[in-house]
Amino acid sequence: MIRQGPRTPDKNPATSGAHGEVREWADALLAVLAALVAMAVTATLGLWAAGAADLPEGAFLHVVAAVVVIAAGGSVDISGRAGGLADTAGQLTLMPLSVTLVGALVAGACFLRPLRHRPVAGTGALLGRVARTVVLWLAGLGALIALARHTFTLVPPDSAIDFITGLLGATPTVGFAAETGPTLLFGLIWILGVLAMALLVSHRAPLPAGLLRPQRAARPAASAMLLLLLAYVVIALVVGLVVAATRGHPAETFAVILLGLPNIAWLALGLGIGGSWEGRVEGPFGLPMPHILDAALRGSQNTTLDVSSLAEQDGRAWWLVPVAAVLLLAAAFVTAMRSPAGTRLWQYALHLGIAFALTLLVVTPVSEIVARLALSVLGIMEIDNLGGQVVLHPHVWRTVGLALLWGLVIGPLGALLASRVRRRGETPARPAPPPAP
């Protein structure tokens, strides 16, 4: 019998030496450019649908750059002036998760593409690929930071603009600029998280031998959680397309789809398991969001947003609970089917509970929205029709705790369901061939 020895790192001359170095830099550049272009295209279409193409003084391109910066974890500062007696105050904390998700999927896929046919990679070679991608990603963010700054005239209703111009002798302006330090720091965390997740969920990633065992243990639940999040996005996309086709206002619906679809989809996931948020919507300067959310949150006082309060606006909100149960059971089934034979029920419960809790710990905080704009005169009087706010704060630990409980309960149920199905790769043993004469 011929025994195969352990796999060794790739020694192909075509990928070694100076040529290999250039090839790996080119691979990293392709991954970064593809991700940034995909994010920019998504942001451009979403902002165009939201009406931002009409912003004055050539602001649109700069706003697109700012949205990509925010989607990559960056921060943008808002400020403004209206003569010597008034200030325009603003605050913006949100992530356009449609743009974020597109960038993460493209970056992860392009990073893994050159590795899919390689044998086991050495630790140094893998870290080198990661480092090249990170360096080029930060360089790309640096270019966007330089572009994501602009000042333009605020265009309120005519009566308001006449009042301000007459009182102050000046037209209010709003400016924004990406903050370099926070953007590069959180952009670094973002790209490292994307690459780590890509390597974790890929069954073809050529990891060093020392990382294969941890990856095999974590991959079933991690890949199931990724599928769960994507399933929610796909369902939300179908619902959004139906709404755009049947309810009117298609531009507003497509703005939600292209800028904040995962924000809504993963909010629905959290609400479906019993999670809650707190917030309010005031004034005319709102963000693109479904009408049911706007109606539930609109008012001068904070409102607790959960399935019950949402159902007061539309009774169909109660469907979020069974949808969450069914999709999480499907994720538990996928986890069990991909787990090694002999895994015990309590291990399935633990794996899914921890994985689901960690997933909600990541996606729940990024659902936070704080968007405020106000013009104050002498710092004591605010002009109502020149301001507005959208505020939505998640109750993170409540949602994460409920996710842990749901995972602990549904994990074993998925395993019991999977036990009735032949595991992938399990086939009846074939009889040994007769010895050669």
Side-chain angles (χ1 to χ4, degrees):
M1 180 182 294
I2 299 176
R3 298 179 179 270
Q4 291 184 345
R7 293 185 297 173
T8 57
D10 186 14
K11 298 297 185 181
N12 188 345
T15 58
S16 60
H19 176 73
E21 184 78 10
V22 172
R23 174 72 176 273
E24 291 180 355
W25 276 105
D27 290 339
L29 180 62
L30 175 63
V32 169
L33 286 179
L36 290 177
V37 169
M39 295 172 77
V41 169
T42 305
T44 298
L45 294 175
L47 290 168
W48 175 78
D54 298 329
L55 288 173
E57 304 170 25
F60 183 68
L61 181 62
H62 302 276
V63 172
V64 170
V67 168
V68 175
V69 164
I70 296 172
S75 178
V76 173
D77 180 59
I78 300 176
S79 60
R81 295 290 295 172
L85 301 177
D87 288 307
T88 307
Q91 181 183 2
L92 183 64
T93 301
L94 62 88
M95 285 190 74
L97 289 180
S98 292
V99 182
T100 302
L101 180 62
V102 167
L105 293 176
V106 172
C110 291
F111 176 77
L112 292 174
R113 184 190 60 84
L115 304 176
R116 64 187 186 277
H117 297 307
R118 293 170 63 93
V120 177
T123 303
L126 187 61
L127 289 178
R129 285 184 174 272
V130 170
R132 293 181 188 92
T133 305
V134 168
V135 168
L136 292 175
W137 176 259
L138 293 180
L141 278 186
L144 288 173
I145 290 170
L147 186 61
R149 56 182 69 242
H150 194 69
T151 299
F152 57 91
T153 302
L154 190 64
V155 184
D158 292 341
S159 59
I161 196 69
D162 292 340
F163 169 76
I164 296 299
T165 303
L167 178 65
L168 306 176
T171 300
T173 61
V174 174
F176 62 89
E179 300 182 60
T180 302
T183 296
L184 292 179
L185 174 60
F186 289 106
L188 172 63
I189 296 172
W190 187 92
I191 190 63
L192 289 176
V194 168
L195 298 183
M197 181 56 65
L199 292 171
L200 178 62
V201 303
S202 173
H203 67 282
R204 302 175 68 179
L207 295 178
L211 296 179
L212 287 176
R213 175 173 290 184
Q215 192 235 22
R216 287 170 181 165
R219 189 175 70 85
S223 59
M225 290 299 102
L226 178 60
L227 291 175
L228 175 66
L229 295 179
L230 293 179
Y232 262 89
V233 172
V234 171
I235 293 173
L237 176 60
V238 172
V239 172
L241 293 177
V242 171
V243 170
T246 60
R247 299 290 183 86
H249 306 289
E252 295 179 5
T253 303
F254 278 107
V256 175
I257 291 173
L258 292 165
L259 294 175
L261 187 64
N263 300 68
I264 305 301
W266 299 339
L267 173 66
L269 171 59
L271 293 173
I273 65 170
S276 63
W277 279 251
E278 185 174 342
R280 67 181 182 274
V281 175
E282 288 185 87
F285 286 90
L287 297 174
M289 66 169 55
H291 173 73
I292 185 175
L293 278 182
D294 183 89
L297 295 173
R298 186 161 291 279
S300 58
Q301 302 294 326
N302 280 357
T303 300
T304 297
L305 182 70
D306 53 20
V307 174
S308 177
S309 64
L310 207 59
E312 293 177 3
Q313 305 297 326
D314 190 331
R316 291 172 295 182
W318 288 113
W319 279 101
L320 294 177
V321 178
V323 168
V326 170
L327 291 182
L328 187 58
L329 181 61
F333 176 81
V334 170
T335 300
M337 290 293 291
R338 294 179 175 180
S339 295
T343 305
R344 299 179 179 180
L345 287 181
W346 68 266
Q347 291 176 308
Y348 287 120
L350 193 62
H351 291 170
L352 194 72
I354 293 175
F356 194 32
L358 290 176
T359 300
L360 270 294
L361 184 60
V362 172
V363 303
T364 301
V366 298
S367 69
E368 181 178 30
I369 298 175
V370 179
R372 294 189 176 98
L373 182 64
L375 180 66
S376 61
V377 180
L378 298 175
I380 58 175
M381 180 180 70
E382 290 192 355
I383 309 301
D384 292 337
N385 60 355
L386 289 181
Q389 61 178 329
V390 180
V391 180
L392 189 62
H393 297 294
H395 298 152
V396 175
W397 294 112
R398 169 179 170 170
T399 306
V400 171
L402 288 168
L404 177 62
L405 292 177
W406 275 70
L408 291 174
V409 172
I410 292 186
L413 296 179
L416 292 174
L417 184 62
S419 67
R420 298 179 178 272
V421 181
R422 179 178 296 170
R423 291 180 177 276
R424 184 174 60 184
E426 288 186 351
T427 57
R430 295 183 178 179

